[in-house]
Amino acid sequence: MSTNLEHLWMPFSANRGFKSEPRLMNEAKGMYYKKLDGTKVLDGTAGLWCCNAGHGNEKIVKAIQTQATKLDFAPSFQMGHPLAFQAAEKLLSLAPSDAFQYAFFTNSGSESVDTALKIALGYQQHRGKTDKTILIGRERAYHGVGFGGISVGGLPLNKKHFSLLPSVDHICSTHNLEKNAFSKAQPEWGKELADDLLRVIEKHGADKIAAFITEPLAGSTGVLVPPKGYLERVREICTKNDILLIFDEVITGFGRLGAPFAAQYFNVEPDLITCAKGLTSGTIPMGAVLVKKEIYDAFQEGDVKAIDLFHGYTYSAHPLAAAALIATLDVYTDDNLFERTNELASYWEDALHSLKGTSHVIDIRNLGLVAGIEMSPREGSPGSRGYDVFTDGFHNHNLLLRITGDTLALSPPLIVEKDHIDQIVETLKVIIPNH
Ligand SMILES: Cc1ncc(COP(=O)(O)O)c(C=O)c1O
């Protein structure tokens, strides 16, 4: 039976372009998707940065199936089910320190971001710093699509037609091709860009700023790797000025950099961590905010019968998601998947950097098992080269890529083997120059 493609309004998609030349998949196992005709497609992107354990992991599938037969749903407001609490404890066992004692569950990265921003604002109010109402983000940042997320985010097209939060400012991005093109891992130059936070602090006053949110490594906006010392400096400035630091780890969480969170990888501890995607290896929608005890405690005052945070989702800690989380984190540990990232990172780096010199490639960025390949834009049509490489990859070379403008982003499942890495790179050597 053929599928009528007309009625679905696809997210972040060129709907007309897709519908005239569809890219459909309806099976997946391990490192591969399957097209409708059964052709295997190598997953170079862990779906959408989320299937870190690979596709169809039997332990995760089984946990979801079992839970579905046991408890389909339980209300999450003023009620609970044991798995929700077990999931929180399990997640916190991966936190950067014991200071993180609470997890708030959401259903996506966007919801995690908006939740973290609300917690940050609420915290400042509860502790009597009532003027601390400004949120700071960074240019070229992606924090999902909630009104909070697009406001602190730094992507003009994502904000263009929408009203934004009023009290927001941004610091400059760390991306600089002139200084850092073809850096392997963290660039040497750019630590001082963190001092742009000081400019914003000077402008508004530290006593007016509630929090600074940043992706430790920006993924969706083209894989922007933080310069050496940058995040350490950000932490220092936030601490000195009593500003909460939020790491948006929706992409960097769960092994992408070879540690549970980027916070451990960079050895920089934020005050709040947002996550999603790899939390359930993409199997069931789920996100979370990891919260320090001190922040949670600030909300615990007054009448014990009064709600402490006026925020939440019907599906917070949904039983199927909680089961998926527990099984997924077990798989990460049992199969040593974060360690695999570390073992493969230098092979990945060398393989990707062998694309240097390929026509159109103007930068290659990498860290852990993530890489960005920036291509020069075609005169007068930025993004069209990226789109053509992406569609050619899928249709003619059975390789799933991800694009942001003219930058290819690669983030394979953490079960990737060297052969797959070779296949990705060899395919790109063929495709990129053709466009
Ligand atoms: C850093 C970051 N934050 C938030 C989000 C939004 O997540 P979601 O699409 O699950 O809402 C993303 C998605 O890619 C992301 O990369």
Side-chain angles (χ1 to χ4, degrees), residues 46 95 117-118 157 170 218 228 251 267 270 351 368 374:
L117 297 177
K118 283 191 185 178
L157 289 176
H170 296 83
K228 283 185 184 158
I251 279 179
N267 197 21
E374 186 159 347

Side-chain angles (χ1 to χ4, degrees), residues 75-119:
S76 50
F77 304 168
Q78 307 279 23
M79 293 294 297
H81 60 97
L83 271 195
F85 297 87
Q86 289 163 25
E89 194 177 0
K90 183 114 194 155
L91 172 58
L92 290 161
S93 71
L94 296 183
S97 80
D98 288 346
F100 290 87
Q101 289 286 323
Y102 296 91
F104 190 101
F105 285 116
T106 72
N107 309 290
S108 67
S110 299
E111 290 179 357
S112 297
V113 166
D114 279 21
T115 300
L117 297 177
K118 283 191 185 178
I119 290 175

